[in-house]
């Protein structure tokens, strides 16, 4: 084994399993070489490392240093100190200021910053504010480095150190030592398994109430996040929790009783068995039932005046118009090409002709924009609608052009409404207003817990219309024909017709290569379009044909690393100017909402932030410690694509890892995301598997509660 003390020049590659490749500079002779290994996980440009390892020859990338151990050390030479300070690791210091600081303090620079930070003001351009910023950033880096060592001792990824420090700051070490279970849900990437490993290695007894309570809550919350369940049957919860912690069910039941007494969970008589809710989900389901019941029972305030009926409406569309005008809650559903958008446009026009006000909304920015384009009317996201309601002071001002309350609120893509968002929405709607929920009940349900649209369709007292007539202009679309065949459990015509195409390839690696080629070269060249008009959708995140691998390959093809442009690695994702990204969390302060898309306009290492502009022109800044809130758009999951439509869609259909995500609703949703063409590449057997696999229903109690409340 050899030992080398190096400074990190740049990261070349980081894999999901933390295998890291970096270009480093040997402080002894100034040579530059490539180092690789999992021991490099979490290193950043500018850091000085003592590496232990040996040389090997990679078949594709040539000679490199295989690292078996890595230790962070303080940079000792003036060039190394300048590189460290100028790398952007210490917020507030860039290359020019780093040169000035080192020029003033020399080899004592790091000692001065650590022990006499006030002396930084001796350097030109460093005032009290800049000095305080540098001092705080220095202390943060020290704390994060200490946390990384602590986590490595627990056998936990050091990449979590910065996230834990962001959440808990100076209290991070105490949290790890006393109650690591509180990391679950607060620190992204920390589930029960990681928290439990830290706790057990810290001496927490296996049968401690703290541990068992954390396991019960985790099973309930992960059931919502993983499968969209609002509750679990008691027998399933006891069995899953007992297996998770390796203890008997009697201990779990005893702990569950304690959690019930603390009002953290709710036990309730369900359909034939006892079910268990997390308190928050139970409260939301009760609240949503109450708000919907209030809206359904309230007398309408919609001004009823004579109106001219649109002669172009089909019988079912006319029925939908009548119900929307006479019922305070209505559901309009139907597949592609059945005229939902035309019906919404007719309903909105009629309400306005009668002197009423209308608000059109959708769960995501893309869906709202698409709704506006299809109806010719302004539309907003549900989140912006709620923000306007909150700004109104009384929680009821929903119409953006008038202080008056909207008489009709239309929410498109309603299958995307989860329990949380639906509860907030209905709470803001005043009694007497009409709510029209529009969506395709055969699409995937929401990412979050609940199955609101499907639940409402199970309640007989709620007015609904299902449009089934496919209009002539849509009959010749290969996309629509394929979608309707999939919806009814039939294999589409293969290899396909105009708009839909299936290319059969068995090997997953060949599938991935073909998908990338189609998205970046073949389709753009044939259609004379930019690659940005082709969207890759993947059923899975991991694996050869998952969003991570395919997305990374497309990024490297379309927006490769450049020596003259900065980039920043956050875990296994690298952000570069020009990258297409999507926020995955709402940020009301930034004015950014989940599902919007945008472009990275700048990566600023000195300020430790990146700037982006969304497609609707909103400018925002994200600190390097906030990048978990962004994902790249080069390849996205089908769930993330809901509510959006793309000119061209390419998707791999491969049963990797058992093809757990391949099911009919997912395939149907995928196909209907395309406007002009959808190309599926993969195994015919996997396509057939997806069509015939229906997926497990979600555990929800909304339909039952509403039926009781309205009976």
């Amino acid at each position: 084994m050899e030992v080398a003390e190096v400074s990190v020049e740049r990261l070349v590659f980081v894999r999901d399993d933390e295998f890291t490749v970096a270009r480093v500079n040997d402080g002894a002779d100034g040579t530059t070489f490539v180092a690789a290994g999992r021991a490099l996980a979490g290193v950043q440009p500018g850091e000085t490392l003592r590496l232990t390892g040996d040389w090997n020859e990679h078949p594709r990338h040539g000679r490199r240093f295989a690292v078996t151990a890595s230790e962070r050390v303080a940079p000792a030479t003036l060039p190394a100190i300048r590189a460290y300070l100028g790398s952007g690791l210490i917020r507030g210091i860039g290359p020019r200021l780093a040169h000035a600081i080192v020029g003033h303090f020399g080899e004592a620079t790091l000692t001065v910053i650590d022990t006499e930070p006030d002396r930084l003001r001796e350097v030109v351009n460093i005032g009290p504010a800049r000095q305080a910023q540098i001092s705080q950033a220095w202390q943060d880096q020290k704390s994060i480095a200490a946390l990384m060592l602590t986590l490595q001792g627990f056998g936990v990824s050091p990449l979590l150190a910065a996230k834990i420090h962001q959440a808990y700051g100076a209290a991070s070490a105490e949290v790890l030592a006393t109650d690591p279970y509180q990391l679950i849900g607060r620190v992204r990437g920390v589930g029960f398994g990681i928290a439990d490993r830290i706790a057990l290695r810290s001496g927490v007894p296996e049968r401690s109430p703290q541990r068992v309570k954390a396991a019960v809550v985790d099973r309930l919350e992960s059931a919502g996040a993983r499968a969209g369940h609002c509750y679990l049957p008691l027998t399933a919860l006891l069995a899953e929790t007992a297996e998770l912690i390796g203890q008997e069910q009697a201990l779990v039941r005893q702990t569950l009783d304690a959690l019930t007494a603390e009002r953290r969970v709710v036990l309730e008589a369900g359909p034939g068995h006892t079910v268990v809710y997390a308190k928050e989900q139970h409260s939301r389901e009760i609240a949503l039932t109450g708000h919907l019941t209030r809206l359904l029972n309230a007398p309408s305030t919609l001004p009823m005046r004579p109106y001219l009926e649109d002669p172009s409406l089909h019988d079912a569309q006319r029925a939908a118009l009548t119900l929307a005008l006479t019922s305070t809650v209505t559901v309009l559903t139907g597949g592609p090409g059945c005229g939902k958008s035309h019906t919404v446009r007719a309903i909105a026009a009629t309400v306005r002709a009668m002197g009423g006000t209308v608000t059109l909304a959708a769960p995501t920015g893309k869906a709202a924009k698409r709704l506006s384009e299809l109806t010719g009317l302004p539309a907003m996201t549900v989140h912006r609608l709620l923000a306007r309601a909150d700004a109104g002071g009384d929680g009821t001002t929903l119409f953006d052009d008038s202080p008056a309350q909207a008489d009709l609120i239309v929410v498109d893509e309603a299958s995307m409404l989860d329990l949380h968002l639906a509860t907030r929405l209905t709470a803001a709607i005043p009694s007497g207003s009409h709510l029209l929920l529009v969506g395709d009940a055969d699409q995937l349900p929401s990412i979050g817990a609940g199955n609101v649209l499907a639940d409402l369709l199970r309640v007989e007292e709620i007015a609904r219309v299902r449009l089934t007539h496919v209009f002539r202009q849509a009959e010749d679309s290969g996309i629509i024909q394929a979608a309707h065949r999939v919806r009814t459990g039939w294999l589409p015509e293969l290899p396909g017709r105009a708009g839909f195409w299936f290319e059969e390839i068995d090997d997953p690696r060949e599938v991935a290569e073909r998908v990338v080629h189609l998205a970046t070269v073949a389709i753009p060249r044939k259609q004379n379009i930019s690659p940005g008009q082709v969207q890759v959708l993947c059923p899975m995140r991991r694996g050869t044909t998952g969003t991570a691998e395919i997305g990374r390959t497309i990024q490297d093809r379309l927006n490769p690393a450049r020596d003259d442009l900065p980039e920043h690695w956050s875990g296994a994702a690298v952000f570069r100017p020009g990258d297409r990204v999507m926020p995955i969390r709402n940020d009301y302060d930034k004015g950014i909402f989940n599902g919007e898309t945008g472009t990275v306009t700048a990566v600023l290492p000195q300020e430790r932030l990146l700037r982006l502009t969304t497609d609707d022109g909103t400018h925002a800044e994200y600190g390097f410690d906030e990048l978990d809130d962004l994902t790249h758009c080069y390849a996205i999951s089908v769930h993330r694509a809901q509510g959006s439509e793309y000119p061209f869609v390419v998707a791999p259909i491969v049963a990797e890892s058992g093809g757990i995500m391949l099911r009919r609703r997912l395939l149907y949703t995928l196909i209907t995301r395309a406007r002009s063409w959808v190309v599926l590449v993969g195994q015919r057997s996997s396509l057939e598997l997806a069509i015939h696999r229906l997926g497990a229903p979600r555990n929800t109690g909304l339909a039952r509660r509403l039926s009781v409340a309205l009976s």
Side-chain angles (χ1 to χ4, degrees):
M1 288 290 175
E2 295 186 23
V3 177
E5 191 162 303
V6 303
S7 60
V8 181
E9 291 187 350
R10 69 179 298 169
L11 299 181
V12 177
F13 178 78
V14 182
R15 208 163 57 195
D16 275 348
D17 64 0
E18 299 177 2
F19 181 86
T20 301
V21 181
R23 191 168 69 198
V24 301
N25 184 275
D26 192 327
D29 57 16
T31 59
T32 297
F33 60 90
V34 171
R38 289 187 179 86
L40 292 174
V43 302
Q44 293 291 323
E47 289 186 314
T48 299
L49 309 173
R50 184 175 293 117
L51 303 181
T52 302
D54 208 349
W55 293 96
N56 66 18
E57 193 75 21
H58 189 277
R60 288 179 57 195
H61 303 295
R63 192 167 185 260
R64 63 188 190 182
F65 193 71
V67 181
T68 56
S70 173
E71 177 188 359
R72 287 170 173 80
V73 296
T77 66
L78 294 182
I81 295 172
R82 275 195 296 268
Y84 176 70
L85 292 181
S87 66
L89 272 172
I90 309 301
R91 189 171 187 173
I93 302 179
R96 184 175 300 176
L97 189 55
H99 195 276
I101 294 173
V102 176
H104 186 76
F105 295 113
E107 294 180 353
T109 295
L110 300 184
T111 302
V112 169
I113 296 175
D114 192 36
T115 62
E116 302 176 274
D118 289 348
R119 289 190 60 195
L120 286 169
R121 300 183 200 176
E122 298 172 13
V123 180
V124 176
N125 292 329
I126 297 183
R130 177 66 65 88
Q131 180 262 314
Q133 181 188 43
I134 293 172
S135 298
Q136 184 61 55
W138 175 265
Q139 294 303 322
D140 288 345
Q141 282 301 313
K142 284 181 62 178
S143 299
I144 291 170
L147 279 174
M148 293 178 85
L149 286 175
T150 301
L151 293 174
Q152 284 177 320
F154 290 132
V156 173
S157 168
L159 294 178
L160 294 171
K163 300 176 185 178
I164 294 172
H165 185 270
Q166 181 186 3
Y168 294 99
S172 298
E174 182 182 356
V175 170
L176 289 178
T178 60
D179 187 13
Y181 294 110
Q182 67 177 277
L183 301 175
I184 304 170
R186 186 166 177 185
V187 177
R188 190 176 182 202
V190 178
F192 180 83
I194 289 176
D196 196 45
R197 185 183 308 168
I198 296 172
L200 293 177
R201 294 194 181 188
S202 298
V204 174
E206 290 187 358
R207 297 174 61 85
S208 70
Q210 177 190 31
R211 180 177 187 242
V212 185
K213 285 181 179 179
V216 171
V217 173
D218 173 76
R219 289 298 84 194
L220 285 174
E221 291 182 348
S222 63
R226 184 184 67 251
H229 296 315
C230 294
Y231 65 79
L232 283 178
L234 174 61
T235 53
L237 177 61
L238 294 176
E240 288 183 21
T241 307
E243 182 179 2
L244 179 66
I245 60 177
Q247 302 296 324
E248 68 275 13
Q249 291 191 24
L251 176 63
V252 178
R253 181 58 205 249
Q254 179 183 342
T255 304
L256 188 60
D257 291 340
L259 285 169
T260 304
E262 296 171 10
R263 302 181 64 83
R264 294 176 62 187
V265 302
V266 177
L267 273 70
E268 191 176 81
H273 54 268
T274 300
V275 302
V276 186
Y277 284 84
K279 181 64 170 66
E280 190 175 57
Q281 298 288 32
H282 186 263
S283 297
R284 286 172 179 163
E285 208 170 78
I286 295 289
L288 179 55
T289 301
H291 293 310
L292 285 168
T293 302
R294 170 180 59 82
L295 293 174
L296 284 160
N297 290 334
S300 170
T301 58
L302 183 68
M304 291 301 294
R305 300 174 185 170
Y307 61 89
L308 294 176
E309 191 169 274
D310 186 342
S312 67
L313 294 180
H314 190 265
D315 289 347
Q317 292 175 311
R318 280 195 292 273
L321 171 64
T322 301
L323 282 177
L325 297 179
T326 56
S327 303
T328 49
V329 178
T330 307
V331 177
L332 173 63
T333 186
C338 292
K340 294 193 299 295
S341 298
H342 182 67
T343 307
V344 168
R345 183 167 59 244
I347 293 171
T350 301
V351 170
R352 288 183 171 174
M354 294 163 58
T357 55
V358 180
T359 294
L360 299 185
T364 67
K366 278 284 191 73
K369 182 179 180 181
R370 183 167 170 242
L371 175 62
S372 181
E373 292 171 347
L374 291 172
T375 62
L377 301 170
M380 66 182 76
T381 65
V382 174
H383 300 96
R384 292 190 191 278
L385 180 152
L386 292 170
R388 293 183 188 277
D390 293 340
D394 60 1
T396 60
T397 305
L398 299 180
F399 192 57
D400 58 328
D401 294 328
S402 168
Q405 300 164 356
D407 297 300
L408 172 67
I409 297 96
V410 181
V411 179
D412 196 18
E413 297 289 352
S415 62
M416 299 175 66
L417 287 177
D418 62 13
L419 184 62
H420 173 59
L421 188 56
T423 303
R424 290 189 60 213
L425 170 68
T426 53
I429 298 175
S431 299
S433 291
H434 289 224
L435 173 63
L436 173 61
L437 298 175
V438 183
D440 189 340
D442 294 308
Q443 286 189 26
L444 285 170
S446 58
I447 295 177
N451 199 2
V452 175
L453 182 66
D455 283 347
L456 295 186
L457 289 171
R458 291 166 54 198
V459 180
E460 292 183 1
E461 291 81 359
I462 294 179
R464 87 286 305 278
V465 172
R466 182 180 185 111
L467 304 179
T468 57
H469 176 74
V470 178
F471 287 89
R472 182 173 300 173
Q473 60 267 33
E475 287 181 341
D476 294 332
S477 166
I479 294 172
I480 291 177
Q481 286 203 356
H484 282 287
R485 286 183 67 86
V486 167
R487 181 181 64 81
T488 54
W490 291 89
L491 193 69
E493 295 180 24
L494 300 181
R497 51 184 299 175
F500 173 85
W501 190 260
F502 176 71
E503 189 168 323
E504 187 170 1
I505 300 176
D506 283 333
D507 182 73
R509 293 195 177 279
E510 292 181 17
V511 170
E513 291 172 3
R514 181 59 177 163
V515 165
V516 171
H517 181 74
L518 284 167
T520 60
V521 178
I523 293 177
R525 181 184 295 162
K526 183 176 180 61
Q527 300 293 332
N528 194 27
I529 58 172
S530 71
Q533 293 180 268
V534 185
Q535 181 62 58
V536 174
L537 302 181
C538 302
M540 304 283 288
R541 181 185 180 276
R542 299 188 181 278
T544 306
T545 57
T547 59
E549 287 295 319
I550 289 182
R552 187 200 300 271
T553 304
I554 294 176
Q555 180 189 26
D556 287 341
R557 298 271 180 92
L558 300 181
N559 194 28
R562 289 172 45 184
D563 289 337
D564 61 334
L565 284 179
E567 63 181 30
H568 179 74
W569 285 84
S570 176
V574 59
F575 291 88
R576 301 170 181 139
D579 276 339
R580 294 286 294 163
V581 293
M582 173 188 292
I584 57 175
R585 283 184 178 80
N586 300 319
D587 191 317
Y588 297 97
D589 293 332
K590 290 183 172 67
I592 297 290
F593 298 99
N594 182 6
E596 294 181 327
T597 52
T599 302
V600 176
T601 56
V603 176
L604 306 169
Q606 181 177 343
E607 289 83 4
R608 295 193 65 74
L609 59 83
L610 65 76
R611 292 183 178 136
L612 66 85
T613 301
T614 65
D615 293 346
D616 66 1
T618 301
H619 302 287
E621 292 184 344
Y622 279 78
F624 284 175
D625 57 0
E626 298 178 296
L627 295 183
D628 276 351
D629 292 346
L630 296 177
T631 187
H632 289 87
C633 294
Y634 296 107
I636 61 175
S637 70
V638 180
H639 250 129
R640 292 251 175 250
Q642 271 191 279
S644 299
E645 190 178 69
Y646 310 94
F648 299 88
V649 167
V650 183
I653 305 295
V654 175
E656 286 190 285
S657 303
I660 189 170
M661 296 300 294
L662 287 177
R663 53 189 188 272
R664 186 183 298 176
R665 288 184 186 273
L666 181 138
L667 181 61
Y668 175 77
T669 305
L670 188 163
I671 292 171
T672 55
R673 296 312 89 204
R675 185 164 59 245
S676 298
W677 273 91
V678 58
V679 181
L680 308 182
V681 182
Q683 303 154 343
R684 179 178 174 128
S685 59
S686 296
L687 185 65
E688 293 173 344
L689 173 69
I691 291 170
H692 294 110
R693 182 186 282 168
L694 297 179
R698 293 187 169 189
N699 297 334
T700 67
L702 179 63
R704 175 175 52 84
R705 294 185 199 282
L706 274 171
S707 296
V708 171
L710 297 172
S711 61

